[in-house]
Every structure is written in C-alpha cells, then in structure tokens.
Amino acid sequence: MKNLSILGELSHAEFMRDYWQKKPLLIRQAIPNFTPLVSRPSLFELAGKNDVDARLITHEDQQWDMQHGPFNTLPAITKKGWTLLVQGVNLQDESVDALLRQFRFISDTRLDDLMISYATDTGGVGPHFDSYDVFLLQAHGQRRWRISAQKDLTLVPDLPLKILNNFQVEEEFILEPGDMLYLPPHYAHDGIAVGECMTYSIGFRIPSYQELGDAFLQFMADSIDLPGRYTDPERKPTKHPAKIDNSMISHISTELNKVKFTKDDITIFLGEHLSEPAHSVIFRTPVKPLTPASFEKTARKQGVLLSIKSRMLYCGEHLFINGMSFAINDDDKTILTILADTRKLDSAILANASTDIWEALYTWYQDGWLTLS
C-alpha cells in the first residue's frame, strides 16, 4: 500500500529505491494547504534564546556576513536580502516535532532536525552544497530554487559562508507553500526568497568516518586494560642515546596490539553516540515531581510520552536513550522497543510493565526525558 503523505504518489520504498542519495525529487503539494507551524514573531523569539542555535545572514554590496545568535534585535522585515536560520526547532515546538516524525520512514539513526529559514525578499545563503540529505518544504511565501549536479564543488575563499565558486544552474523551480524538494548530499543548490518566505529544512545526519573514529577511540579509552609496565632487562649500552631502538618499538607494539574491540563494543558506542542529544539541549524537569507511586498510578491511566528532545534507539539486548546504554531482558525489550519506535506507551501496554521498567520510566520522568501523556 502506498503512503501518499509527504511523498506524493511515491511509496516510501519507491522513494528509497529511486531517489534516496541518488537524485533530486520535486513534490508539488507534498502537504496541501500547508501553513507555518511557527509564526514569524515566535520564530524571532526562539532566535533570542540561549539554548537555540540561530544565525543571521546578510548580503549587501556583494558582501556576505554571518552572525551567530542569540539575537535581541533583527533587521526590519521591510529590508531586503537577509536570512534568519533557526536550527532544531523540532526541539522547541511539538507541532514541528510531529512534522519531523513524518519522515521516520528513514531511521532515527539518520534523522537529525528541522531548521526554519526565514528570509526577506531576495534573501538566501548563496549557492552551496550540503554534506547531508535534505527535504526543503516551503512553509510560507515563495522561494526560487536553482539546482545543479555539477562535480565542481570548489568554494570562494575567505568568506564566512561556504559559497560555490562556479555555480552552473541546470534546473530551476519556484516552490509554493506545501511544495517540497528533496536533494541528496553534495547536490549544488541556491534558494532565493521571492518576497518574504519561510522554508523548513528536514536534515539528516551523515557523520564522517573521522568523526566516528575519534569518538570511538575516546569511548574505548575507558575499557582498555593493559597491565604491567615496559621493562628491558636485556638492554645493552648505546652509542646513540637519542635513538628509539627497534626492540622497544617491537615490544610496545606487541602490547598495544592486545587492544581489541568487538561488534558489541561498536554497537554500544554507536547507540550512545547517535542518541546523544545536541549540545544545546536542556531537559525541563518537573517542577513538583510526583512520587514513584503517584507517577505509576497516573501513568497506568494516561500513558507516557518521550520528550520531544529525547533520542531513543535499540539494538539486540541494548537500549540507548540520550547517550546512555542499558542491557535489557527479552520481556522488558518488548515494551521498551515499542516506546522507542512509537515514542509513547499507552495504559494497556504499561499494564504488563515490570518493576525494572517502572523504575526506569520514573527516573526518566524525573530527568525530563519523558512526560505523562
């Protein structure tokens, strides 16, 4: 059965097979009659918060400038050519989070966040490319998109933004509210506001192998166990005191080669790394938390929901939430994987929850990781 929401006439499987990381896709009226989920004043207010990543981009007299928030004031909306980018709006607004979750036919290990771009007439961030997949949903007004499959991705030097040096337009579209454009990684594009507009960018995580390698070595540092110290009772006198001798290199190489890692180590690392919240995330704990007994009684009636800021993943016997990992048994796994996949548990499912699950849910409730429905 085809899923006609978001992807138009394409099923999820057809999109993944024919377009995902392969070629662009323009979907007219992906969400018919779409209207902004966040008003302009509310977006500007978000840009003034310390825990929200916001950037202001201006282009005047052929000069690009970028400033980082928080912003107490912004240029007048009557002034042309400026853009406000507000990252992670899904972490601040439940309706935006619900929109982001419509893209969960792609794994949570890849789904990142929803950024809102507000621009006055002619505003934009210049021709550029992203290293990740992105869906560009027009929320308000019009934006002209020019795109190119060009291989030349060299950038103009000494600019605060990554602007392509030689952008060659191959296709051009004007998007109306509800229209959506998908672009795979490294696809050159340039979006220019036609009048005042807002665009929602649904982005996906593509960590570099270098990033993963650095993080994995830090993760493994806590589990390395190499007992003993280097000894060399057979050492001979040397005529070259500054030289590192081969016997020392060989001996230490043997010991360091004892450091091993398993598939389980990689699984736990990935789960903790990919579920780690963004650095700016602040969880709101309950002002007057219920007692464990009152929490369980209320949850059995109402159910529980994951916070919109929580990341929850699982693999095999491992459960991961907000950068922490837990080993779970088969009975608990059934319920906790439902929570991870659906981001909620209703009263019927909670009726079968074990004592361990209730203890975990209460702890997460105290930490602001989940709430009562």
Side-chain angles (χ1 to χ4, degrees), residues 209-227:
Y209 288 127
Q210 183 65 46
E211 172 194 336
L212 292 172
D214 291 345
F216 180 66
L217 291 177
Q218 293 178 19
F219 168 81
M220 287 299 294
D222 295 331
S223 62
I224 292 174
D225 182 20
L226 292 173

Side-chain angles (χ1 to χ4, degrees), residues 27-325:
I27 304 171
R28 293 294 185 187
Q29 291 304 286
I31 306 180
N33 304 313
F34 187 75
T35 56
L37 303 175
V38 177
S39 67
R40 182 180 62 204
S42 295
L43 186 68
F44 288 4
E45 183 180 345
L46 282 177
K49 292 188 174 183
N50 290 322
D51 61 342
V52 174
D53 182 7
R55 289 164 288 165
L56 174 64
I57 296 168
T58 56
H59 189 212
E60 293 183 279
D61 301 325
Q62 305 301 312
Q63 298 295 315
W64 289 97
D65 182 67
M66 179 171 67
Q67 303 293 328
H68 291 269
F71 299 107
N72 293 322
T73 59
L74 290 165
I77 60 174
T78 55
K79 184 178 181 179
K80 291 185 176 184
W82 64 271
T83 297
L84 175 68
L85 304 176
V86 183
Q87 206 79 40
V89 183
N90 54 292
L91 302 176
Q92 309 294 330
D93 185 278
E94 292 190 1
S95 63
V96 176
D97 178 70
L99 172 61
L100 178 71
R101 301 296 167 188
Q102 292 194 51
F103 293 84
R104 291 185 79 205
F105 59 91
I106 299 164
S107 171
D108 285 350
T109 59
R110 297 282 273 103
L111 189 60
D112 191 9
D113 77 343
L114 190 150
M115 179 185 78
I116 295 183
S117 168
Y118 170 86
T120 57
D121 187 36
T122 72
V125 299
H128 65 287
F129 68 92
D130 298 317
S131 299
Y132 50 85
D133 306 86
V134 63
F135 289 90
L136 301 162
L137 174 66
Q138 193 62 21
H140 170 71
Q142 297 178 321
R143 190 182 289 270
R144 175 180 287 105
W145 286 103
R146 303 182 300 161
I147 67 175
S148 173
Q150 66 190 63
K151 300 302 180 184
D152 179 6
L153 299 178
T154 56
L155 303 175
V156 179
D158 303 322
L159 290 183
L161 288 82
K162 295 181 178 180
I163 305 292
L164 287 169
N165 189 47
N166 183 30
F167 181 52
Q168 301 292 326
V169 179
E170 294 178 356
E171 295 182 89
E172 185 172 317
F173 316 99
I174 291 182
L175 267 62
E176 305 276 353
D179 293 343
M180 185 168 69
L181 176 64
Y182 163 75
L183 294 173
H186 299 114
Y187 212 93
H189 55 288
D190 183 22
I192 301 171
V194 181
E196 180 190 52
C197 82
M198 271 195 271
T199 304
Y200 291 5
S201 299
I202 295 90
F204 294 80
R205 307 175 74 178
I206 301 187
S208 69
Y209 288 127
Q210 183 65 46
E211 172 194 336
L212 292 172
D214 291 345
F216 180 66
L217 291 177
Q218 293 178 19
F219 168 81
M220 287 299 294
D222 295 331
S223 62
I224 292 174
D225 182 20
L226 292 173
R229 290 179 179 272
Y230 172 75
T231 59
D232 51 3
E234 306 301 323
R235 178 174 286 279
K236 301 293 192 293
T238 182
K239 295 181 181 179
H240 306 284
K243 181 181 179 181
I244 302 174
D245 57 88
N246 289 331
S247 63
M248 185 179 194
I249 293 173
S250 177
H251 186 93
I252 292 178
S253 293
T254 298
E255 293 303 311
L256 293 182
N257 282 332
K258 292 178 181 178
V259 176
K260 304 291 183 182
F261 56 86
T262 66
K263 183 178 179 180
D264 209 44
D265 292 326
I266 296 174
T267 299
I268 295 172
F269 157 70
L270 276 177
E272 293 184 0
H273 182 72
L274 295 176
S275 67
E276 184 73 32
H279 64 87
S280 60
V281 166
I282 299 174
F283 287 96
R284 308 298 181 189
T285 57
V287 177
K288 294 182 179 180
L290 300 173
T291 64
S294 296
F295 169 78
E296 181 175 340
K297 181 180 179 181
T298 306
R300 285 184 181 276
K301 292 180 180 178
Q302 299 180 2
V304 296
L305 294 170
L306 280 182
S307 162
I308 59 176
K309 298 181 179 181
S310 284
R311 293 180 180 268
M312 192 172 186
L313 304 169
Y314 61 87
C315 182
E317 63 185 15
H318 303 291
L319 181 83
F320 311 96
I321 181 169
N322 296 331
M324 298 187 67
S325 59

